[in-house]
Amino acid sequence: MRMETVSVQNMERKRTKTDDGGQDEMKKKLIAVAMAFLMAAAPVPAFAASNITTKKSTISKQTNVKKYMVRVNSDTSGGASVQSNGGSGVRTFRVFAQGARSTYIKRHGCAASALTTVLSGYTTKYKNYTPEKTSRKLEREVFGTKVWSANYSKSMVSQMPVSLNGITRILNYCGVPNQYVRYFKDRQAVQEIKSHLLSGNAVIIEVNNRKQKNGKMSSRNSYRWSSSKHTMVLLGMTNTGKAIVADSAYRSWSGSKQRIKFAKVEQLVKYMFSCKRSSDSVYYDSQDTSGGYILVNKR
C-alpha cells in the first residue's frame, strides 16, 4: 500500500508538471499570435532612419522652367512638413531660375535662390518667398539696414551675393537648425554630405569653376557647375545613389534638366572648396573665406 501511495503521488506530480508545461506552452503561443496581430496592424515607417531616398523616376526630366516644384522624401521631424509618417515624409521645394543677366538676382542671385529653396521646404512662414523678396526683405531684416544698404548701394557689377555665413545667419533667424562646415578634406566631406542627405535633409554647397583635391586647385578652368563661384542646394539622394541638385543656373550640357540635376557627391566635392580663414562677412568676401557647406536641419 505504501508503494502504491508513493506511485500515485509520483504520477500526480508528473501529471501536474505536464499540465503546467502545456499551459505555459499555450500561453506562449497565444502571446505570439497577439504580438503578430499587433505588428501587422501597426503602421510601418516609409523609410529607414538613415537611408531616405527619392525615386529618380518621380522627378520630371523637363525642368527647364522659371520655377519648379519638386517633392523629395525627407526627414520632417522639424520645420514644415507634408505627409508626415513617423518622423519621415515628404518636403516640397521650390527651385528658381536666375535667368538673363539684367537684375541683381539674375546676375548675383544664386545664393538668394538657394536660400529661398531651402526656406520653401523647411519653413511655413517663408515657404512662398521668392529670391527677390529674400534679398530685398529678409536679408535687410537679419543683417540690418546699414550692412544691407552698403552692398546694394554699389554698382550692379560690384554687388555681392549673400555668403554661406550670411545664409547660416538667416537660417538661424528663420528657426532652421544648421551647421556651417567651413573647413573640410574631400573624403570627410563626401561621407558627411552623403550621410546627411540619406538622413533626409538638404545640404547647401558652394562650387568653383575649377576642380580641386583636398584644397589644391587645378590650373585649368572647368565650367561644368560655374563660370566663377556658385551656390546650389542638394535636396536629397535618389535611389540610384545620386544627389538631387537644385540649381538656379542654366547649363547647356544638362539639356532639359535645368532646375533639377543629378550628380554623384564625389563629383560635386571636386568642385567645392574649403575656407582658408574665417570671416563674419554676410556677403561674399573672397574664396578664402566663403567656401564650405551647410548641413540643413542639423541639430
Side-chain angles (χ1 to χ4, degrees):
M1 291 293 293
R2 187 178 299 171
M3 290 179 63
E4 288 179 1
T5 302
V6 172
S7 298
V8 170
Q9 288 175 344
N10 287 339
M11 288 175 65
E12 288 295 330
R13 289 194 190 101
K14 288 179 181 179
R15 187 169 61 190
T16 301
K17 287 181 180 179
T18 303
D19 290 346
D20 289 345
Q23 289 175 1
D24 289 344
E25 191 66 29
M26 182 62 70
K27 286 180 181 178
K28 288 179 181 178
K29 288 181 179 180
L30 289 172
I31 291 171
V33 171
M35 289 297 293
F37 176 79
L38 289 172
M39 290 178 69
V44 179
F47 315 100
S50 59
N51 192 31
I52 300 175
T53 62
T54 298
K55 286 186 178 181
K56 189 178 178 182
S57 60
T58 64
I59 300 175
S60 175
K61 296 178 181 179
Q62 305 291 332
T63 63
N64 188 13
V65 293
K66 291 182 179 179
K67 181 179 73 176
Y68 180 69
M69 297 183 71
V70 59
R71 292 163 60 83
V72 177
N73 292 339
S74 305
D75 165 30
T76 53
S77 58
S81 64
V82 180
Q83 295 184 359
S84 180
N85 183 1
S88 294
V90 178
R91 290 190 192 278
T92 300
F93 293 96
R94 291 148 53 97
V95 187
F96 302 86
Q98 287 178 250
R101 293 176 177 272
S102 59
T103 66
Y104 171 81
I105 291 299
K106 293 173 180 178
R107 192 179 184 103
H108 305 294
C110 61
S113 297
L115 171 58
T116 306
T117 291
V118 171
L119 293 176
S120 72
Y122 281 89
T123 70
T124 299
K125 183 176 180 179
Y126 307 100
K127 69 178 182 179
N128 293 320
Y129 267 45
T130 62
E132 288 81 3
K133 190 173 182 180
T134 296
S135 63
R136 184 181 68 250
K137 187 175 188 296
L138 198 50
E139 286 180 23
R140 191 169 190 166
E141 283 181 16
V142 179
F143 304 153
T145 299
K146 183 178 180 180
V147 173
W148 181 86
S149 296
N151 184 59
Y152 289 104
S153 62
K154 298 175 182 176
S155 64
M156 179 67 72
V157 70
S158 298
Q159 293 174 20
M160 288 290 107
V162 62
S163 65
L164 291 189
N165 183 61
I167 288 176
T168 195
R169 283 186 56 180
I170 292 176
L171 290 175
N172 288 335
Y173 176 84
C174 296
V176 181
N178 66 91
Q179 180 183 333
Y180 179 16
V181 181
R182 295 176 185 267
Y183 311 98
F184 65 86
K185 293 293 184 182
D186 294 358
R187 186 176 180 182
Q188 166 222 332
V190 169
Q191 292 176 343
E192 188 167 42
I193 291 171
K194 276 187 175 181
S195 177
H196 196 66
L197 293 175
L198 287 171
S199 77
N201 285 293
V203 180
I204 303 172
I205 65 172
E206 190 78 14
V207 293
N208 203 349
N209 60 357
R210 289 182 290 166
K211 289 184 178 181
Q212 62 81 35
K213 185 174 182 180
N214 289 321
K216 186 177 181 180
M217 289 290 173
S218 169
S219 59
R220 298 177 60 184
N221 285 344
S222 172
Y223 300 110
R224 183 168 183 82
W225 292 105
S226 177
S227 58
S228 179
K229 306 293 184 294
H230 187 53
T231 311
M232 303 188 296
V233 188
L234 311 184
L235 301 178
M237 289 283 278
T238 68
N239 59 320
T240 62
K242 290 187 175 182
I244 302 168
V245 185
D247 189 4
S248 58
Y250 177 85
R251 307 292 172 202
S252 59
W253 56 262
S254 195
S256 61
K257 301 183 186 73
Q258 291 300 327
R259 300 294 70 76
I260 296 294
K261 302 176 177 74
F262 304 96
K264 290 279 189 181
V265 173
E266 291 86 348
Q267 294 300 315
L268 290 165
V269 169
K270 289 180 181 179
Y271 291 90
M272 293 165 56
F273 54 97
S274 178
C275 287
K276 292 185 177 179
R277 55 188 174 85
S278 181
S279 171
D280 290 331
S281 176
V282 294
Y283 290 103
Y284 186 89
D285 186 5
S286 69
Q287 180 172 314
D288 287 354
T289 62
S290 301
Y293 53 92
I294 299 173
L295 305 173
V296 180
N297 204 26
K298 177 73 172 181
R299 290 174 171 80

